Amino acid sequence: MEIPKALLDRLKKNEEIARKFNEIEVSILSILDFHNFFDRLLTEISDKFFIPHIWVAMISEGRLARQLEANHDSRELASSMVNVSQQVFSSIVKTSKPLLANTGLSAYKKIIPQTLDQDIGSISIAPISLDGEIVGSINQADPDPKRFEPGIDTSLLEQLALKVSLCLSNVTAHEQLKYLAFHDPLTGLLNRGVMKRVLEREFSRAKRYGTDLSLIFLDLDDFKAINDTAGHDIGDRVLCAVAEALTVHQRQSDIVARFAGDEFIVILPSTNTSQAEYYLHRVKHYLDTTPLNDGKKDHVIRLSHGISNILDAGIKDTRDMLKIADKRMYQAKAMKKTPSHPATRATSTKDRRLNR
């Protein structure tokens, strides 16, 4: 029995599409960072299938959006992504299957980039998932209403979304490991090892160009009492609140890190001591006016601090900057305590820790 030519043509076309999908998969399989992954993926799809408009819609509360934000990749990808709430996304995408539309396109307006709003005749929306959770969709659009006409077979689109989801899982796992290598897992701040490398870099830069550099050593007051009376969960929330206060008021060039326990470091390039004090004034005011409530009482978070500056006497390297700021911080803390807690004893204990 002779196979109809139309069917042969269709099979041949499907084979060609499947081949292109396989090429895309091979192209993105080895990429392990978000920016290059999405950039390559969207470019490959656009080039191979002559798609004029392609972008990603991402659920803002989803795991992928949170990780992109934590890795600071969301800003780099802003031109190719649209963020929508879970509620909006669910109202548009009701199943995990690809969706095609060429009429009533205003219903999809919230997941379409504003620059494309007047240039769409049909649209394809293919949900993507991360470890079983739908986190967004790959969207394609064309001025031609017949390009993504409802009723067209979407099985290949579904395969593409599945391949992308599997590859995305690899990228996410790799990015998470990379993130944890550089960041404190509780607060999301840079960790101690990274902070020391950054401080070395900024110290060398300040020396080379004759610019200012200040360092703040911070410690929470009575943090042990909070843990003992309110519990470690509240203690963790307190640490996160301090991290938030420090980052909310930092400049783009400032570096905030968690040093150890309830201790934090802020590196302020091109900043003198009085400017560093003003930064701290704003941070402390923020904490004073936004106490942490544990459901039973408000906890007003207090800090003690010490500041060192690259021009201070006795500073020859970054170790000196840390030691002097640390010593001044414990002197400030000791002034708040009774004579039974002398600054000299606290300082010598801290110096031993810094020398480890």
Side-chain angles (χ1 to χ4, degrees):
M1 180 179 176
E2 186 177 350
I3 301 175
K5 184 178 183 303
L7 181 57
L8 284 173
D9 289 344
R10 183 62 183 169
L11 289 172
K12 186 176 180 180
K13 185 176 182 180
N14 284 348
E15 282 184 11
E16 178 67 12
I17 293 172
R19 181 184 64 79
K20 290 180 178 180
F21 279 176
N22 186 64
E23 289 175 355
I24 292 171
E25 181 183 13
V26 170
S27 178
I28 63 175
L29 195 57
S30 61
I31 299 176
L32 295 174
D33 67 277
F34 285 127
H35 182 264
N36 286 318
F37 175 81
F38 283 110
D39 185 62
R40 177 75 64 81
L41 171 66
L42 300 182
T43 300
E44 288 278 324
I45 294 174
S46 178
D47 290 349
K48 290 185 182 299
F49 295 99
F50 305 103
I51 305 293
H53 307 303
I54 180 166
W55 71 97
V56 174
M58 190 167 55
I59 298 173
S60 54
E61 302 95 329
R63 177 181 161 194
L64 178 60
R66 293 196 302 270
Q67 193 161 343
L68 285 171
E69 186 62 34
N71 287 27
H72 303 292
D73 286 304
S74 55
R75 280 168 286 186
E76 292 183 2
L77 296 166
S79 62
S80 57
M81 285 193 172
V82 174
N83 281 285
V84 295
S85 68
Q86 177 72 65
Q87 182 180 6
V88 168
F89 190 86
S90 298
S91 70
I92 295 172
V93 184
K94 302 189 186 320
T95 73
S96 59
K97 303 292 184 182
L99 180 156
L100 305 178
N102 60 1
T103 60
L105 296 180
S106 60
Y108 309 101
K109 185 175 182 178
K110 290 186 178 178
I111 66 169
I112 298 174
Q114 292 182 355
T115 53
L116 305 186
D117 210 12
Q118 304 300 319
D119 192 31
I120 292 182
S122 59
I123 187 172
S124 159
I125 301 170
I128 54 173
S129 62
L130 186 56
D131 301 330
E133 173 196 350
I134 293 179
V135 293
S137 61
I138 295 180
N139 312 292
Q140 304 172 63
D142 197 289
D144 183 358
K146 293 186 177 181
R147 182 68 184 270
F148 300 112
E149 186 176 20
I152 295 175
D153 181 16
T154 61
S155 59
L156 291 174
L157 277 175
E158 194 170 348
Q159 289 179 35
L160 175 63
L162 177 61
K163 291 177 186 294
V164 170
S165 296
L166 291 172
C167 292
L168 186 57
S169 182
N170 291 336
V171 177
T172 303
H174 184 269
E175 286 281 25
Q176 181 68 10
L177 287 174
K178 186 171 71 173
Y179 179 83
L180 291 174
F182 292 98
H183 294 80
D184 168 53
L186 175 63
T187 63
L189 298 178
L190 293 178
N191 61 31
R192 179 173 174 170
V194 176
M195 178 277 297
K196 286 187 173 182
R197 294 197 293 273
V198 172
L199 180 58
E200 290 284 355
R201 180 195 71 198
E202 294 301 329
F203 189 91
S204 297
R205 182 180 296 168
K207 283 289 188 182
R208 185 183 308 120
Y209 297 108
T211 56
D212 231 325
L213 176 67
S214 290
L215 180 141
I216 305 172
F217 213 125
L218 292 156
D219 183 276
L220 275 68
D221 295 340
D222 302 318
F223 182 64
K224 184 178 184 302
I226 294 174
N227 274 332
D228 291 345
T229 59
H232 289 277
D233 287 345
I234 299 301
D236 286 348
R237 287 179 58 193
V238 166
L239 293 173
C240 291
V242 172
E244 180 183 7
L246 293 172
T247 52
V248 161
H249 294 91
Q250 74 176 116
R251 301 168 304 175
Q252 190 172 4
S253 59
D254 298 336
I255 298 97
V256 182
R258 186 180 179 193
F259 188 76
D262 60 332
E263 300 167 337
F264 297 84
I265 295 286
V266 184
I267 302 168
L268 301 121
S270 303
T271 304
N272 60 35
T273 302
S274 63
Q275 290 169 328
E277 287 281 7
Y278 179 65
Y279 163 78
L280 273 174
H281 170 75
R282 291 185 292 133
V283 169
K284 291 183 177 183
H285 177 73
Y286 178 86
L287 291 172
D288 285 343
T289 55
T290 54
L292 178 68
N293 187 279
D294 65 4
K296 298 177 181 178
K297 60 177 288 189
D298 285 340
H299 298 274
V300 178
I301 303 169
R302 309 288 188 191
L303 304 174
S304 293
H305 74 274
I307 299 174
S308 61
N309 183 274
I310 196 169
L311 299 178
D312 289 346
I315 288 185
K316 302 181 295 298
D317 53 30
T318 58
R319 192 172 183 82
D320 292 332
M321 286 198 78
L322 283 166
K323 281 191 173 183
I324 289 174
D326 177 61
K327 181 177 180 179
R328 289 171 179 170
M329 183 263 289
Y330 267 82
Q331 288 172 343
K333 186 177 283 288
M335 291 178 64
K336 302 176 183 179
K337 297 182 177 181
T338 64
S340 62
H341 300 278
T344 53
R345 187 168 67 196
T347 302
S348 62
T349 301
K350 184 67 68 164
D351 281 343
R352 287 196 297 273
R353 179 182 54 73
L354 281 169
N355 287 328
R356 285 206 295 268

